[in-house]
Amino acid sequence: MSLPVIKSLADCTDFTKTVSPYIPQLYDLPEQILQSITDPHALKQLYLSTNPLISAFAFSLFLFPVFLIASEINKNYSQIDRFWSILPLVYIAHFAIFARAVDLPTQRLDTLCFITTLWSVRLTFNYWRRGGYTIGSEDYRWAIVRQNIGPSLFFLLNVFFTSLAQNILLLMVVTPAYPFLLAANETQNSYELADKIFPGILGGIIVLTFYADQQQWDYQEAKKRYQNSGKVPANFRQVDLDRGFVVTGLWSSSRHPNAAAEQSFWVMLYAWTCWITQTYINWTVVGAAAYLCLFQASTWLTELITAKKYPEYKEYQNRIGKFLPHLFPPSSFSDQRA
């Protein structure tokens, strides 16, 4: 049996009932795949007889050596970045496909899949236009980390964090979709008001992230034109372009509005699962919590580098909240020079 017997909505988030019993499936899965690799019918049966969370985790473990080897061969450590906007959608689509294959109601999962597709398209587009898919493109922070900790420690960082932990995180952050699937039998075709409110909030977060990304993109493009021509583009001020970093629009209330919205998206997905399963906290919170920790660490490093590059950034840090706006915000940073 690939799915647990669910007697209540709370059971959908009980780790001991919905996850632990299926962990042994992971041990035999590689051998079973090899035995069935030439038989499509056998592969389909193996897919349906394997718990969907376990098969998703197995896939993430399969990707681990792929990312590791690719990064070491190319000496480029942004391999997983190229799939950051794609893998969460793949996992959620997997849950939706599995649910449909075993004749479970999929309205919630289909809605979630649609919303995650919008999230994926936005993030993929933004990564693409910034040159992320260009051959040789790498996150500038990796070179700085490599220089500061040395090659041996950097290799260990690549093995256990960059290639393994981040890879698993992209599955963990979408694990709230697993209780969606399990709750389908309990709720049947019940689609409540909350099932419209939560997607609406998630969609609003995507729009907010898009505007934050676009404002930063417009600023950086204007700064490039200004530095190349010496002329201030329309709708921009020389004082803002000379500063070197964007402080207007959403960036006047938060130093990282796009990152704040990105984190909120996965926290809200977790909250939706809590609503469906009538729980206040469950094991799927690990994904959202780990995502928040990752963004705390990555923005700390980004700001450490930025503060050394731009003299006014420390004043910006003092006056503007990192993710959330201050309760009593000061006057616009754009109106003053530090």
Side-chain angles (χ1 to χ4, degrees), residues 296-330:
Q296 286 290 338
S298 64
T299 51
W300 171 82
L301 178 59
T302 299
E303 293 201 326
L304 188 67
I305 297 169
T306 305
K308 293 179 180 179
K309 185 176 181 180
Y310 301 111
E312 294 184 62
Y313 197 79
K314 289 185 178 179
E315 176 65 16
Y316 182 56
Q317 288 176 300
N318 291 334
R319 299 184 54 182
I320 305 300
K322 187 175 185 179
F323 295 123
L324 300 177
H326 288 313
L327 186 59
F328 301 103

Side-chain angles (χ1 to χ4, degrees), residues 197-259:
I197 293 175
F198 279 106
I201 294 173
L202 291 171
I205 290 172
I206 293 171
V207 172
L208 182 66
T209 317
F210 172 81
Y211 275 106
D213 285 340
Q214 189 62 43
Q215 288 171 359
Q216 186 178 51
W217 173 263
D218 290 341
Y219 174 84
Q220 292 297 339
E221 290 297 296
K223 187 173 74 170
K224 288 178 186 177
R225 294 196 299 271
Y226 169 62
Q227 291 174 339
N228 291 334
S229 67
K231 297 180 180 179
V232 178
N235 301 319
F236 288 90
R237 301 190 311 169
Q238 183 175 349
V239 64
D240 290 328
L241 298 175
D242 285 338
R243 185 180 291 110
F245 55 93
V246 60
V247 299
T248 55
L250 294 172
W251 301 79
S252 65
S253 300
S254 168
R255 302 200 302 272
H256 303 279
N258 49 358

Side-chain angles (χ1 to χ4, degrees), residues 24-334:
Q25 289 186 341
L26 186 65
Y27 309 145
D28 299 327
L29 194 56
E31 182 180 353
Q32 292 175 327
I33 292 175
L34 289 175
Q35 292 173 350
S36 308
I37 196 71
T38 58
D39 186 346
H41 177 72
L43 282 175
K44 179 180 178 181
Q45 289 305 118
L46 179 60
Y47 177 76
L48 294 177
S49 63
T50 304
N51 179 273
L53 182 64
I54 297 301
S55 55
F57 184 61
F59 181 67
S60 71
L61 291 180
F62 166 78
L63 291 177
F64 160 53
V66 175
F67 289 136
L68 177 61
I69 293 171
S71 63
E72 290 297 330
I73 289 177
N74 294 289
K75 297 302 176 185
N76 184 309
Y77 301 92
S78 287
Q79 302 302 324
I80 197 168
D81 294 348
R82 295 171 172 83
F83 294 87
W84 197 272
S85 61
I86 299 170
L87 285 175
L89 175 59
V90 169
Y91 292 129
I92 290 177
H94 155 65
F95 287 124
I97 291 169
F98 185 92
R100 185 169 275 103
V102 296
D103 296 323
L104 288 176
T106 61
Q107 190 171 8
R108 282 196 183 103
L109 279 170
D110 290 343
T111 301
L112 178 57
C113 199
F114 174 73
I115 291 294
T116 310
T117 299
L118 297 180
W119 169 87
S120 178
V121 169
R122 181 209 63 79
L123 188 55
T124 302
F125 168 71
N126 196 55
Y127 188 70
W128 165 78
R129 70 173 173 178
R130 293 170 58 190
Y133 292 107
T134 304
I135 295 176
S137 172
E138 183 184 45
D139 188 326
Y140 69 95
R141 294 171 295 186
W142 287 129
I144 296 172
V145 173
R146 186 164 57 240
Q147 181 181 356
N148 280 274
I149 68 174
S152 298
L153 286 178
F154 189 78
F155 173 74
L156 294 177
L157 180 71
N158 186 31
V159 172
F160 294 106
F161 173 72
T162 311
S163 300
L164 179 60
Q166 288 194 125
N167 180 28
I168 294 175
L169 173 62
L170 293 179
L171 169 61
M172 290 302 299
V173 80
V174 301
T175 50
Y178 180 52
F180 272 54
L181 186 155
L182 298 178
N185 257 339
E186 289 295 311
T187 58
Q188 289 299 319
N189 291 319
S190 174
Y191 202 72
E192 302 174 358
L193 178 62
D195 296 311
K196 299 178 181 179
I197 293 175
F198 279 106
I201 294 173
L202 291 171
I205 290 172
I206 293 171
V207 172
L208 182 66
T209 317
F210 172 81
Y211 275 106
D213 285 340
Q214 189 62 43
Q215 288 171 359
Q216 186 178 51
W217 173 263
D218 290 341
Y219 174 84
Q220 292 297 339
E221 290 297 296
K223 187 173 74 170
K224 288 178 186 177
R225 294 196 299 271
Y226 169 62
Q227 291 174 339
N228 291 334
S229 67
K231 297 180 180 179
V232 178
N235 301 319
F236 288 90
R237 301 190 311 169
Q238 183 175 349
V239 64
D240 290 328
L241 298 175
D242 285 338
R243 185 180 291 110
F245 55 93
V246 60
V247 299
T248 55
L250 294 172
W251 301 79
S252 65
S253 300
S254 168
R255 302 200 302 272
H256 303 279
N258 49 358
E262 172 71 12
Q263 295 170 84
S264 300
F265 184 89
W266 300 111
V267 170
M268 191 55 59
L269 172 58
Y270 167 72
W272 191 3
T273 293
C274 289
W275 178 274
I276 292 171
T277 60
Q278 299 175 6
T279 57
Y280 292 102
I281 189 168
N282 60 71
W283 67 270
T284 65
V285 71
V286 173
Y291 210 76
L292 297 182
C293 290
L294 175 65
F295 270 74
Q296 286 290 338
S298 64
T299 51
W300 171 82
L301 178 59
T302 299
E303 293 201 326
L304 188 67
I305 297 169
T306 305
K308 293 179 180 179
K309 185 176 181 180
Y310 301 111
E312 294 184 62
Y313 197 79
K314 289 185 178 179
E315 176 65 16
Y316 182 56
Q317 288 176 300
N318 291 334
R319 299 184 54 182
I320 305 300
K322 187 175 185 179
F323 295 123
L324 300 177
H326 288 313
L327 186 59
F328 301 103
S331 59
S332 174
F333 186 84
S334 179

